[in-house]
């Protein structure tokens, strides 16, 4: 079937991801219940196998896990080193909601991040209908929460919590981060973790082993953000048994490099501002958002605001510093929701920084130990950083936002100090084996949101061109991770898995971004 592209609004955005729905922090910190799985931890490697066991017990219970079948996939930590140790990856098989007539081919989910708690995504997947008429299989990518080993870095979580009281890209924040990264690396390597083995190629092989060990002839793949990078790599290296693949908020393996973050941020912000200009009330109330943003970035970078602000969930006020880099990072991360960004910028320009300051204060509350920063750094430093330099990042920033201060443009949004971090993390360059296009006739659905400033629609086009039986769908007014935020996208995804070469995309035609917040003058 020929490729089809559904354009429901103006063209959109661009980049990679680290957070879900624009949040960079978790909810209030809480102790994490261990996955009380069977048997010992990592041991000598052998053939991959699945061992049944109890489901994880997260601090906030997940209803779908009550009826799930769980266990560990045991695989080699490093497949290039026969006879080395094995690692255990947490797996849950969630039954179909309609068990009388479940489809024979399940859906396997590939989460974003890399490093996010995959099991924490289950409620979003269930609410989006992923297991309505077929099983949903969830596996924590290697090093994630509930795996053994778990590559969490509580040192980095605590540093992130303190960093809200420092200038975003300045030396004190950098020193704080690099110290935390060094401490985490030292601890993980002392425990025998082979950091070079935590990469997308090994992740993809894990999913291939999961399908065969569970004796599943065919399945469907759904991945978002980094999970789309992983899904495309998986399809390229292990195409056997893939019936259909849906990718959401695309991170194209060939283009996923650090300077890419700047063009993505600019495109996403441009699209939000263009959508405001297309709504008469928003255009009249906020007539020149690009100018307002530039002015505020310059002003805050020259004269940062230091404020005491309670986090959004309540509690004691915390010190926050709001400078130009922090302002941009909050916008790219959607810590202020897109529909509120014009109002928040207008308020800021009139001396009221409350929306952005509260969003910055949210970062002081970290879910310590829940995020596998070790996987993040191993992927970023082996696959995204090599071949480029700090000078390349700055050049890309200047092209994306001409006239902005270099102190802002020197740091990739969402990934500050990444080259210095990578010098500490010290994993081999894998760019040549990872930056490869996936060319495939497997039916594919390529989903993008027009407001996504991390992984946007323009980068999805090249991916779709290489997938000869792909359907591209652009959802207006939606940011990162489209499906849980859009009932229409959920309908399209369900239709795609039912009819991979002819999904019903009709609901997209009449979609428009929701109205922007209009505040009184």
């Amino acid at each position: 079937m020929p490729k089809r592209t559904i354009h429901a609004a103006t063209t959109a955005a661009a980049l990679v991801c680290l957070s879900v729905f624009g949040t960079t922090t978790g909810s209030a910190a809480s102790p994490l219940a261990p996955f009380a799985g069977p048997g010992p931890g990592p041991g000598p490697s052998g053939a991959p196998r699945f061992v049944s066991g109890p489901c994880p017990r997260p601090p906030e219970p997940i209803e779908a896990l009550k009826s799930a079948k769980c266990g560990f996939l045991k695989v080699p930590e490093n497949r290039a080193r026969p006879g080395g140790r094995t690692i255990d990856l947490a797996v849950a098989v969630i039954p179909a909601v309609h068990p009388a007539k479940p489809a024979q081919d399940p859906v396997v989910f590939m989460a974003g991040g890399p490093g996010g708690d995959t099991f924490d995504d289950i409620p979003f997947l269930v609410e989006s209908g992923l297991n309505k008429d077929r099983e949903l299989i969830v596996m924590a990518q290697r090093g994630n929460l509930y795996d053994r080993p778990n590559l969490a870095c509580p040192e980095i979580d605590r540093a992130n919590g303190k960093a809200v009281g420092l200038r975003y890209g300045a030396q004190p924040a950098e020193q704080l981060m690099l110290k935390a990264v060094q401490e985490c690396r030292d601890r993980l390597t002392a425990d025998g973790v082979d950091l070079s083995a935590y990469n997308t190629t090994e992740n993809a092989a894990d999913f291939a082993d999961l399908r065969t060990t569970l004796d599943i002839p065919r399945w469907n793949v759904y991945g978002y953000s980094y999970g789309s990078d992983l899904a495309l790599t998986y399809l390229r290296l292990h195409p056997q048994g893939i019936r259909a693949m849906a990718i959401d908020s695309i991170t194209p393996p060939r283009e996923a490099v650090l300077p890419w973050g700047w063009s993505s941020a600019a495109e996403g912000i441009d699209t939000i501002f263009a959508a405001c200009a297309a709504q008469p009330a928003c255009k009249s109330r906020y007539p020149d958002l690009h100018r307002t943003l530039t002015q505020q970035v310059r002003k805050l970078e020259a004269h940062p605001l230091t404020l005491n602000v309670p986090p959004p969930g309540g509690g004691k006020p915390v010190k926050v510093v709001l400078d130009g880099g922090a302002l941009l990072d909050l916008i790219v991360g959607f810590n202020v929701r897109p529909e509120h960004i014009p109002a928040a910028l207008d308020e800021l320009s009139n001396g009221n920084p409350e929306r952005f300051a509260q969003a910055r204060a949210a970062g002081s509350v970290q879910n310590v130990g829940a995020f596998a920063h070790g996987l993040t750094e191993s992927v970023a430093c082996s696959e995204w950083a090599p071949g480029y330099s700090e000078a390349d990042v700055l050049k890309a920033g200047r092209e994306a936002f001409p006239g902005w201060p270099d102190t802002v443009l020197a740091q990739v949004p969402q990934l500050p100090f990444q080259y210095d971090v990578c010098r500490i993390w010290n994993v081999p360059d894998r760019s040549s084996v990872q930056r490869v296009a996936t060319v495939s006739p497997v039916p594919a659905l390529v989903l993008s949101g027009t407001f996504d400033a991390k992984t946007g629609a323009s980068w999805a086009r090249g991916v779709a061109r290489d997938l000869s039986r792909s359907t591209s769908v652009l959802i207006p007014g939606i940011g990162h991770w489209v499906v849980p935020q859009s009932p229409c996208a959920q309908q399209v995804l369900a239709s795609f898995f039912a009819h991979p070469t002819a999904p019903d995309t009709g609901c997209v035609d009449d979609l428009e971004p929701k109205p922007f917040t209009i505040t009184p003058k």
Side-chain angles (χ1 to χ4, degrees), residues 366-514:
Q366 296 283 322
N367 199 352
V368 176
F371 196 92
H373 295 281
L375 177 60
T376 306
E377 302 307 346
S378 286
V379 170
C381 295
S382 67
E383 299 173 13
W384 302 344
Y388 294 86
S389 66
E390 290 94 329
D392 295 316
V393 167
L394 180 58
K395 179 182 177 183
R398 288 170 174 169
E399 291 173 354
F401 295 100
W404 280 26
D406 282 355
T407 49
V408 173
L409 303 177
Q411 305 299 333
V412 180
Q414 307 277 288
L415 291 170
F417 320 121
Q418 192 61 51
Y419 285 100
D420 288 325
V421 166
C422 288
R423 280 186 272 272
I424 292 172
W425 207 253
N426 191 26
V427 288
D429 178 348
R430 302 192 68 264
S431 57
S432 63
V433 298
Q434 181 59 25
R435 293 180 196 160
V436 180
T438 297
V439 179
S440 175
V442 169
L445 177 66
V446 181
L447 280 166
S448 302
T450 65
F451 284 2
D452 192 344
K454 301 177 188 177
T455 60
S458 69
W459 293 101
R461 294 178 197 142
V463 170
R465 282 194 297 268
D466 292 328
L467 302 173
S468 60
R469 301 168 78 197
S470 64
T471 300
S472 294
V473 177
L474 189 62
I475 303 292
I478 298 294
H480 200 61
W481 198 9
V482 176
V483 165
Q485 302 180 76
S486 169
C488 175
Q490 294 166 19
Q491 294 175 37
V492 171
L493 183 63
S495 175
F496 170 73
F497 284 140
H499 308 286
T501 59
D504 182 355
T505 61
C507 66
V508 179
D509 296 340
D510 298 324
L511 292 179
E512 294 182 357
K514 66 173 64 175

Side-chain angles (χ1 to χ4, degrees), residues 55-338:
C55 291
R57 298 191 301 273
E60 295 183 11
I62 296 172
E63 185 68 24
L65 289 180
K66 293 179 180 178
S67 56
K69 298 177 181 178
C70 295
F72 284 109
L73 177 69
K74 292 180 173 286
V75 294
E77 181 178 48
N78 190 332
R79 290 173 172 84
R81 297 177 181 173
R85 71 176 190 168
T86 59
I87 59 175
D88 297 343
L89 310 181
V91 178
V93 180
I94 299 167
V97 172
H98 302 300
K101 294 183 178 180
Q104 293 301 306
D105 40 88
V107 177
V108 64
F109 173 62
M110 297 182 177
D117 171 13
T118 305
F119 282 76
D120 197 41
D121 290 339
I122 290 174
F124 298 114
L125 301 173
V126 170
E127 289 167 13
S128 298
L130 267 293
N131 69 321
K132 182 178 179 181
D133 55 9
R134 62 187 75 235
E135 286 183 336
L136 170 64
I137 300 173
V138 173
M139 180 168 73
Q141 295 163 25
R142 52 177 45 213
N144 278 13
L145 186 66
Y146 306 120
D147 289 346
R148 299 187 301 222
N150 171 12
L151 270 61
C153 292
E155 303 90 343
I156 294 178
D157 293 325
R158 288 189 284 267
N160 285 335
K162 294 175 182 176
V164 302
L166 302 171
R167 294 198 60 165
Y168 178 78
Q171 188 177 35
E174 181 177 16
Q175 291 174 338
L176 179 69
M177 175 57 68
L178 297 184
K179 181 176 183 291
V181 169
Q182 185 71 67
E183 290 174 352
C184 181
R185 189 188 194 284
D186 290 346
R187 178 176 51 77
L188 292 176
T189 54
D191 288 343
V193 174
D194 178 1
L195 296 177
S196 70
Y198 292 80
N199 58 62
T200 307
T201 299
E202 291 283 9
N203 266 338
D206 295 339
F207 280 91
D209 285 340
L210 179 65
R211 185 183 69 82
T212 56
T213 57
L214 294 182
D215 197 24
I216 297 172
R218 293 197 312 168
W219 65 9
N220 306 282
V221 177
Y222 171 59
Y224 85 94
S225 194
Y226 169 72
S228 70
D229 185 338
L230 173 56
L232 288 163
T233 303
Y234 172 59
L235 177 60
R236 176 170 60 87
L237 298 178
H238 307 279
Q240 303 84 2
I242 301 177
R243 172 180 177 264
M245 184 185 72
I247 47 177
D248 179 337
S249 305
I250 317 304
T251 302
R254 184 170 48 188
E255 285 81 25
V257 298
L258 292 185
W260 178 53
W262 280 117
S263 60
S264 299
E267 191 176 355
I269 290 170
D270 286 349
T271 307
I272 294 169
F273 290 176
C276 173
Q279 296 180 10
C282 193
K283 180 179 180 180
S284 174
R285 181 66 183 83
Y286 314 115
D288 196 347
L289 287 168
H290 281 101
R291 181 182 178 187
T292 301
L293 175 59
T294 295
Q295 287 176 337
Q296 292 309 303
V297 167
R298 289 174 175 170
K299 180 180 178 180
L300 288 173
E301 195 65 7
H303 305 287
L305 296 176
T306 300
L307 307 156
N308 288 310
V309 185
K316 292 177 58 178
V318 296
K319 175 190 171 185
V320 301
V321 174
L322 190 61
D323 61 2
L327 175 62
L328 176 67
D329 203 65
L330 292 170
I331 292 173
V332 170
F334 287 165
N335 300 79
V336 174
R337 299 296 301 163

